[in-house]
Amino acid sequence: MLVKSFPTVIAMMGPTASGKTAAALEIARHIPSEIISVDSALVYRGMDIGTAKPSAEEQALVPHHLIDIIEPTEAYSAAKFREDALHLIHEVQGRGHLPLLVGGTMLYFRALTTGLDELPSADPIIRRRLEDEAAQDGWQALHNRLSKLDPTTAGRLKPTDAQRIQRALEIIELTGKPLSEQQSGPKKLELPFHLVPIALEPSDRLKLHERIALRFDLMMKDDLLIHEVEQLRARGDLHLGLPSMRCVGYRQTWQYLDGEFDRKTLREKSIAATRQLCKRQLTWLRAMPERRIVDCLAPDAAKQVLSIIRQYPLS
């Protein structure tokens, strides 16, 4: 009986500041590869500092995909990522290279492996109205409304999770049904490749928190992040209701420039928000028992990842 074999695709996941980019570049030094970004912030043009986007020099070392593909005014969905990623994986394999899916947007990884429920597209009129209501009454009030309409979804969302609260209320208006009744849950899809998930995770979370703080301080050196957000504000077509401006660091810097708090508070709020993001990413990863774990704090983390990859047929 013939056993059907599939080409290998590497999914290198991990929380923010875990060294995914450095590890991917090291892999590409030894194995002909192309990097497919799995990061919901790297898709935006003009957002380089706060997203820790790979530098032009780094991107010149190995082909990168799904970086700088839309304007900050536009939206990019998990469903669109799945479509784009599947197309790119096929193209990269056709060139005889190893596809490296690299990033920390866990929803994108889930969309790729399990697909997504068919939900209505965003309605800009409803979204804008909900944003106006939130500006007047606060997101807590909209969370309270959601609690009455869809208690299951509201129960797993914090009152500060503006983007998901907005989407849940939008779906109710568009379909007349709660989001929780329309989600069928994860399902296993057959992919035309063998996906190997490798997770860069910290053996000591406090040390990763130190990395997060150090990285933010580097972003603030010479006011680089502040200048970047000033340039974004100067466009005149951006606001805090957009997904792009909700990215960690950008929302806080925007509020700082609005005079809502001082520079010290900007640092504290940005680092705290990044730690919360890290916590959510690690929670997602723990729900993936099939992943291969590498300590991101180990000095030879990249070599360990390379050793794992070499255990699989790459063609």
Side-chain angles (χ1 to χ4, degrees):
M1 179 179 177
L2 291 175
V3 177
K4 190 176 183 180
S5 62
F6 293 99
T8 297
V9 172
I10 302 300
M12 189 153 54
M13 306 170 289
T16 185
S18 58
K20 298 181 292 295
T21 296
L25 292 174
E26 178 65 18
I27 291 163
R29 286 183 60 241
H30 298 275
I31 301 172
S33 310
E34 296 187 34
I35 294 173
I36 300 172
S37 171
V38 190
D39 191 307
S40 60
L42 296 190
V43 298
Y44 298 114
R45 302 186 193 105
M47 295 174 60
D48 303 333
I49 305 301
T51 61
K53 188 174 291 178
S55 66
E57 292 76 17
E58 289 172 328
Q59 293 188 49
L61 294 173
V62 56
H64 283 67
H65 305 280
L66 300 186
I67 293 179
D68 291 335
I69 58 173
I70 61 172
E71 290 296 316
T73 51
E74 300 175 277
Y76 189 76
S77 67
K80 185 67 169 71
F81 166 79
R82 186 177 197 277
E83 176 187 331
D84 290 344
L86 288 172
H87 177 72
L88 285 165
I89 288 169
H90 179 72
E91 285 192 342
V92 171
Q93 290 172 333
R95 290 190 282 269
H97 293 168
L98 172 67
L100 291 175
L101 296 164
V102 182
T105 301
M106 303 306 166
L107 178 62
Y108 286 7
F109 281 116
R110 189 178 76 174
L112 181 64
T113 57
T114 67
L116 294 165
D117 294 290
E118 289 294 329
L119 295 172
S121 301
D123 186 305
I125 296 176
I126 293 176
R127 289 198 165 191
R128 190 69 195 187
R129 176 168 50 74
L130 290 171
E131 288 166 7
D132 291 342
E133 291 176 17
Q136 179 175 334
D137 303 324
W139 284 105
Q140 177 69 64
L142 271 69
H143 186 269
N144 292 342
R145 184 192 309 171
L146 182 63
S147 297
K148 297 176 182 177
L149 299 172
D150 186 356
T152 300
T153 299
R156 60 183 175 80
L157 298 180
K158 293 183 178 180
T160 54
D161 197 343
Q163 187 170 354
R164 290 180 176 84
I165 292 170
Q166 181 190 57
R167 178 59 173 158
L169 289 171
E170 176 189 40
I171 286 171
I172 291 171
E173 289 200 35
L174 289 171
T175 68
K177 296 180 181 179
L179 173 62
S180 57
E181 293 182 7
Q182 302 185 57
Q183 292 179 316
S184 59
K187 45 196 175 291
K188 192 69 175 178
L189 299 179
E190 183 171 347
L191 296 169
F193 49 81
H194 176 51
L195 188 68
V196 179
I198 302 175
L200 289 169
E201 300 180 29
S203 54
D204 184 340
R205 197 175 296 190
L206 290 178
K207 289 186 178 178
L208 183 61
H209 288 175
E210 291 174 3
R211 278 193 187 182
I212 288 170
L214 176 60
R215 189 169 75 168
F216 181 76
D217 289 338
L218 289 173
M219 291 177 183
M220 291 294 289
K221 185 178 180 182
D222 299 324
D223 288 344
L224 288 174
L225 178 57
I226 291 175
H227 291 328
E228 181 171 77
V229 178
E230 285 176 335
Q231 291 175 350
L232 291 167
R233 285 162 62 98
R235 291 170 50 125
D237 58 353
L238 303 177
H239 55 84
L240 286 180
L242 291 167
S244 60
M245 293 300 101
R246 292 188 189 129
C247 290
V248 171
Y250 288 89
R251 171 185 288 275
Q252 292 79 12
T253 305
W254 190 293
Q255 292 172 318
Y256 163 76
L257 291 170
D258 277 343
E260 293 188 24
F261 40 72
D262 60 18
R263 191 184 180 99
K264 179 182 177 183
T265 305
L266 164 61
R267 181 180 187 273
E268 292 172 349
K269 284 182 173 291
S270 297
I271 291 174
T274 309
R275 288 179 178 177
Q276 284 298 313
L277 171 61
C278 172
K279 182 179 179 180
R280 292 194 298 272
Q281 290 168 319
L282 289 170
T283 298
W284 276 83
L285 288 170
R286 284 195 294 270
M288 301 174 63
E290 72 277 15
R291 74 196 189 283
R292 303 286 298 272
I293 302 174
V294 171
D295 181 6
C296 67
L297 302 175
D300 65 340
K303 290 184 179 179
Q304 290 185 47
V305 172
L306 186 60
S307 177
I308 292 172
I309 293 173
R310 283 176 166 160
Q311 296 172 20
Y312 297 89
L314 302 182
S315 61

